[in-house]
Amino acid sequence: MRRSPATSTRSTLSGLTAKALGFKRAIAHGMWVKARVLGAVANRLPEAFAYDVQFTKPLFLPSTVHLATGQVDGGWDVAVRNAGSGTEHVVGTIRTLEEKH
């Protein structure tokens, strides 16, 4: 498993918007987190792949998280976890797709 910090949050749901949606404070937008994961492993990806994630817990801001990646047969398993508690915020899979000729 490779670990690296995930930083530089720019896409958030502000405190007011997050509270209106039932959260206690600002959170990182899930699709932004998903994109950051993909960007972090982009240099290891094949031309054709499927990417699936599950959002398990809100990522409250500010937070320090780590991206864990593990190569498996056919692709990668990924997880974004709180650096202190280990709580998973996003878990996912990236799998190679066969190219059609």
Side-chain angles (χ1 to χ4, degrees):
M1 238 340 117
R2 183 176 169 274
R3 294 175 61 100
S4 61
T7 60
S8 180
T9 300
R10 296 185 184 180
S11 182
T12 65
L13 294 179
S14 71
L16 290 176
T17 303
K19 284 183 181 182
L21 294 172
F23 298 106
K24 58 186 174 183
R25 62 181 198 260
I27 62 171
H29 194 288
M31 295 307 285
W32 181 88
V33 177
K34 180 180 179 180
R36 287 285 291 166
V37 169
L38 197 57
V41 298
N43 63 340
R44 298 180 252 172
L45 298 176
E47 282 207 27
F49 60 90
Y51 180 34
D52 185 46
V53 299
Q54 196 172 27
F55 303 103
T56 55
K57 298 270 184 180
L59 179 53
F60 292 106
L61 300 174
S63 288
T64 301
V65 297
H66 286 152
L67 169 61
T69 61
Q71 191 167 15
V72 297
D73 190 31
W76 296 87
D77 287 341
V78 296
V80 175
R81 297 186 183 114
N82 182 284
S85 68
T87 299
E88 289 185 335
H89 298 283
V90 177
V91 294
T93 59
I94 303 169
R95 297 294 184 260
T96 302
L97 294 177
E98 287 187 31
E99 293 186 40
K100 296 181 181 178
H101 298 280

